[in-house]
Amino acid sequence: MSWQTVTPQPCILGESPFWHPHEQRLYWVDIAGRQILRTQPGLSAVETWAMPSEPGCIAPAAGGGLVIALRHGVFRAREWGGPLQHIATLDYDPQHLRANDGKCDALGRFWIGTLDETRVARNAALYCLDCRAGIPPQIERQLDQTVLPATTANGLAWSPDDRTLYWADTPSHAIQAWDYDLTRNSLTGQRTFAQFAPKPPGWQFDGAANNGGYQGRPDGAAVDVLGNYWVAMYEGRRVCQLAPDGSLLAEFAVPAQCPTMPCFGGEDLQTLFVTSARHGRGAAELARFPESGCVFAMRVSVPGLPVNFFVD
């Protein structure tokens, strides 16, 4: 299996990809570039949509358009390029925190993780926004430093039966799992799903085949129909496929040092897309991986779960 480059023009920090089954389009964001992008792979050019602040994550809406978590609030867009309707403000300081990894659950609630840009306080959190009952929306802080001190929320995903929720703190090199009750929207039974080795002291990109002994740290993730968890390993140059028990099934080298998040797409959901980053990367690394920031695609043998739609 080999990767194909989906987009010739790289993002600064590509994230939050999803496959829209009705449109047969791939959507994703460029956080640092402050834009949302979409394309029909192989059929059309990439369309871009400028945002007023950094878009951390997006999801398709059942009523059409998107729900968008920007640094300064959560917004609803009824159509591509249309006006942004403010629907919620999360209780964090946008001077130091912003929205990061997020997606919708099976009932259409929008989950949004945050990122602490100070890299000191470890006060990232995970919010659940429920707009099904109308205005005002219900906002629940599901996870924060009282449960799991975190700096960079990532790796959000659910098992195929919706009985397990996954969430990662990237700098901790760990992915956590909880027993999840979809109806009650409750989390219990926290445990470590996968723990990766920390970055070696003084590690720097050297282009070596073994990546200087560093395997990377968990960024965004997706789950396939068998319950396997696919995670992009930032600075690890790979995507890992983990079994439901957390054991490593396979790993796939990526043509970028910093893959950021996978998703499943294509008509049969057997194309694995992965976004990547070039933000803050050194000249030697970008010379070795000039397509850093592009979106890559690879055919896989097991279909993924379809995207969940936002309901309002």
Side-chain angles (χ1 to χ4, degrees):
M1 293 182 285
S2 60
W3 296 97
Q4 305 295 319
T5 304
V6 176
T7 58
Q9 183 65 35
C11 290
I12 303 172
L13 177 54
E15 276 281 10
S16 194
F18 75 81
W19 180 262
H20 200 302
H22 308 324
E23 300 178 7
Q24 293 292 292
R25 280 190 177 103
L26 179 72
Y27 284 73
W28 71 104
V29 305
D30 183 349
I31 297 177
R34 297 187 178 188
Q35 60 182 358
I36 299 174
L37 307 93
R38 69 178 185 179
T39 190
Q40 291 178 286
L43 296 179
S44 65
V46 176
E47 299 176 78
T48 61
W49 181 11
M51 291 287 110
S53 65
E54 297 93 329
C57 53
I58 57 175
L66 301 171
V67 61
I68 306 163
L70 299 176
R71 176 187 287 272
H72 63 286
V74 184
F75 295 80
R76 181 76 166 84
R78 301 288 169 178
E79 60 183 1
W80 178 261
L84 300 179
Q85 172 196 0
H86 179 262
I87 57 175
T89 299
L90 305 180
D91 63 344
Y92 65 80
D93 182 358
Q95 295 294 319
H96 305 292
L97 290 100
R98 64 164 173 81
N100 198 50
D101 179 80
K103 57 188 66 169
C104 289
D105 65 27
L107 295 182
R109 297 170 293 218
F110 189 31
W111 292 64
I112 306 155
T114 58
L115 180 152
D116 174 18
E117 293 175 320
T118 71
R119 303 295 197 271
V120 174
R122 300 197 71 193
N123 59 353
L126 181 63
Y127 298 84
C128 178
L129 174 64
D130 189 350
C131 292
R132 295 174 298 164
I135 302 297
Q138 302 299 307
I139 304 173
E140 204 173 343
R141 187 188 279 211
Q142 284 280 3
L143 297 171
D144 58 20
Q145 65 266 37
T146 65
V147 177
L148 179 68
T151 301
T152 305
N154 263 315
L156 178 66
W158 289 267
S159 60
D161 61 6
D162 293 309
R163 297 179 64 180
T164 303
L165 179 145
Y166 302 96
W167 195 52
D169 174 37
T170 298
S172 298
H173 291 72
I175 304 165
Q176 304 295 321
W178 283 263
D179 297 323
Y180 180 57
D181 188 316
L182 179 67
T183 303
R184 296 181 179 180
N185 203 23
S186 63
L187 299 169
T188 56
Q190 178 186 348
R191 66 268 187 195
T192 299
F193 174 68
Q195 178 70 61
F196 298 90
K199 184 188 290 191
W203 180 89
Q204 291 184 339
F205 173 81
D206 61 5
N210 70 346
N211 203 33
Y214 183 41
Q215 298 300 299
R217 50 195 182 275
D219 203 316
V223 173
D224 66 31
V225 296
L226 299 181
N228 301 314
Y229 182 90
W230 297 66
V231 58
M233 299 299 291
Y234 192 86
E235 283 193 331
R237 201 186 301 168
R238 62 181 181 147
V239 171
C240 289
Q241 180 193 27
L242 306 178
D245 64 2
S247 60
L248 179 65
L249 294 177
E251 54 185 6
F252 304 92
V254 177
Q257 187 68 32
C258 297
T260 53
M261 185 174 178
C263 77
F264 291 91
E267 191 171 353
D268 58 3
L269 294 177
Q270 284 185 241
T271 298
L272 185 73
F273 296 97
V274 62
T275 50
S276 64
R278 62 189 297 114
H279 181 66
R281 311 314 301 172
E285 179 181 319
L286 294 179
R288 172 67 177 82
F289 298 110
E291 294 183 312
S292 295
C294 291
V295 179
F296 308 103
M298 177 181 70
R299 293 291 292 170
V300 293
S301 59
V302 179
L305 297 178
V307 67
N308 291 325
F309 282 73
F310 176 69
V311 176
D312 58 357

